[in-house]
């Protein structure tokens, strides 16, 4: 090989700033749903392969023995253990709610964890409550939706929309109340949307409780941190997220 030629490593299993996908092959007696025993066996397989000590939080492990439909057999390493995906708001599975999405680039799990709709993320927005309250507006929004016949039509809806800025500091910026750091992929403007109803506004205010008076019954309730990343609207330096409420639960 000519020493003057540059060599670029390419792999279908890994892309820069995307979650690595590691394969294991552990037959599951329970079929597609992995039992606790099967998950532990997957961890043991990683140790036998000599790669367990190289795993980082956010790495995705796929048990290829159970198939390749949707996210079947996919788990996420949290830094100590393999976690099953979360099926609270999705029939195909989303990231476990134990992960802090701000610690990873917004597109980190794109196509590694397969999402039918916009992917889930888990963010505590309360540290930016005052800024969100100052920028909050009720707006009319036009969105294109697809009909069962495959045609598109425009729907007008009301949304509560606000934004806050994640400023790149001179040193690493910690995620509030954790030992983790915010990934630079989030630096810039984060646009927050909520349903344009009284219930949607109340839910957003509960997430920003430092800037709004607490509602009756919400004092002892942990603020919601489940959102969807709006892929079509997001771009470098501007990430759009939408609140996900309890009424959207599927399990």
């Amino acid at each position: 090989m000519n020493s003057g030629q540059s060599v670029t490593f390419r792999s279908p299993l890994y892309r820069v700033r995307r979650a690595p996908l590691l394969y294991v092959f552990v037959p599951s007696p329970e079929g597609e749903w992995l039992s606790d025993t099967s998950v532990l066996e997957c961890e043991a397989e990683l140790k036998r392969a000599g790669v367990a000590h190289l795993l980082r939080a956010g790495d995705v492990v796929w048990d290829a023995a159970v198939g390749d439909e949707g996210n079947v057999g996919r788990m996420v390493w949290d830094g100590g253990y393999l976690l099953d995906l979360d099926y609270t708001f999705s029939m195909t599975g989303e990231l476990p709610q134990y992960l802090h999405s701000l610690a990873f680039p917004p597109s980190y799990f794109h196509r590694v964890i397969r999402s039918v709709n916009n992917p889930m993320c888990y963010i505590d927005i309360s540290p930016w409550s005052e800024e969100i309250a100052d920028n909050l507006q009720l707006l009319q929004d036009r969105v294109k939706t697809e009909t069962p016949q495959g045609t598109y039509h425009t729907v007008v809806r009301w949304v509560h929309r606000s934004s806050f800025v994640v400023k790149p500091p001179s040193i690493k910026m910690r995620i509030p109340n954790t030992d983790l750091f915010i990934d630079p992929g989030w630096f810039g403007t984060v646009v927050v949307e909520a349903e344009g109803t009284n219930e949607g506004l109340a839910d957003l205010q509960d997430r920003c409780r430092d800037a709004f008076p607490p509602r009756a019954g919400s004092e002892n309730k942990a603020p919601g941190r489940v959102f969807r990343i709006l892929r079509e609207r997001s771009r470098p330096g501007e990430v759009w997220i939408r609140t996900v409420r309890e009424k959207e639960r599927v399990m």
Side-chain angles (χ1 to χ4, degrees):
M1 180 180 295
N2 189 334
S3 59
Q5 294 178 338
S6 61
V7 178
T8 302
F9 173 76
R10 296 182 182 276
S11 169
L13 307 182
Y14 177 74
R15 293 177 60 186
V16 176
R17 295 186 65 76
R18 292 287 172 85
L21 178 62
L22 292 86
Y23 291 21
V24 295
F25 193 89
V26 178
S28 170
E30 291 78 14
E32 294 181 351
W33 292 96
L34 297 178
S35 65
D36 291 345
T37 301
S38 295
V39 173
L40 290 174
E41 183 58 29
C42 289
E43 292 181 2
E45 187 68 15
L46 293 169
K47 293 177 182 177
R48 285 192 288 267
V51 298
H53 68 287
L54 300 174
L55 294 176
R56 298 176 301 173
D59 288 356
V60 179
V61 176
W62 171 38
D63 184 0
V66 299
D68 188 27
E69 182 177 352
N71 289 314
V72 169
R74 300 198 179 208
M75 300 159 282
V76 181
W77 184 256
D78 73 342
Y81 304 95
L82 284 176
L83 301 179
D84 196 6
L85 299 186
D86 188 276
Y87 293 87
T88 305
F89 297 98
S90 169
M91 296 297 293
T92 58
E94 294 281 354
L95 288 177
Q97 297 192 31
Y98 303 102
L99 295 181
H100 293 273
S101 296
L102 289 178
F104 308 96
S107 60
Y108 193 67
F109 297 97
H110 181 47
R111 294 185 179 176
V112 182
I113 301 297
R114 298 159 175 167
S115 298
V116 176
N117 299 310
N118 293 306
M120 294 285 185
C121 64
Y122 308 101
I123 303 173
D124 177 10
I125 61 173
S126 61
W128 296 276
S129 294
E130 296 290 344
E131 191 174 352
I132 292 172
D134 290 342
N135 295 330
L136 185 59
Q137 300 179 73
L138 178 62
L139 303 169
Q140 269 194 340
D141 192 28
R142 296 178 181 272
V143 294
K144 286 186 177 181
T145 61
E146 186 176 4
T147 66
Q149 293 74 31
T151 59
Y152 289 86
H153 66 276
T154 301
V155 176
V156 178
R157 61 173 185 171
W158 288 95
V159 297
H160 293 287
R161 184 179 296 161
S162 187
S163 63
F164 62 92
V165 176
V166 181
K167 299 178 181 178
S170 56
I171 58 175
K172 289 185 176 181
M173 184 176 182
R174 285 191 182 275
I175 299 174
N177 303 317
T178 75
D179 294 327
L180 304 173
F181 296 98
I182 297 179
D183 185 87
W186 289 94
F187 291 169
T189 301
V190 179
V191 180
V192 186
E193 279 195 351
E195 189 179 78
T197 61
N198 290 336
E199 294 78 10
L201 176 61
D203 176 71
L204 180 59
Q205 290 176 338
D206 284 346
R207 299 170 190 243
C208 305
R209 57 181 53 183
D210 293 339
F212 299 96
R215 295 184 301 115
S218 66
E219 296 88 347
N220 299 322
K221 182 180 177 182
R225 50 188 295 270
V226 185
F227 296 85
R228 286 192 183 275
I229 297 177
L230 305 181
R231 283 178 177 158
E232 290 187 357
R233 297 194 170 190
S234 298
R235 58 186 60 85
E238 184 177 283
V239 180
W240 288 60
I241 59 177
R242 179 180 64 80
T243 58
V244 176
R245 294 168 53 200
E246 282 295 304
K247 70 174 186 177
E248 299 179 49
R249 292 176 68 104
V250 296
M251 289 188 68

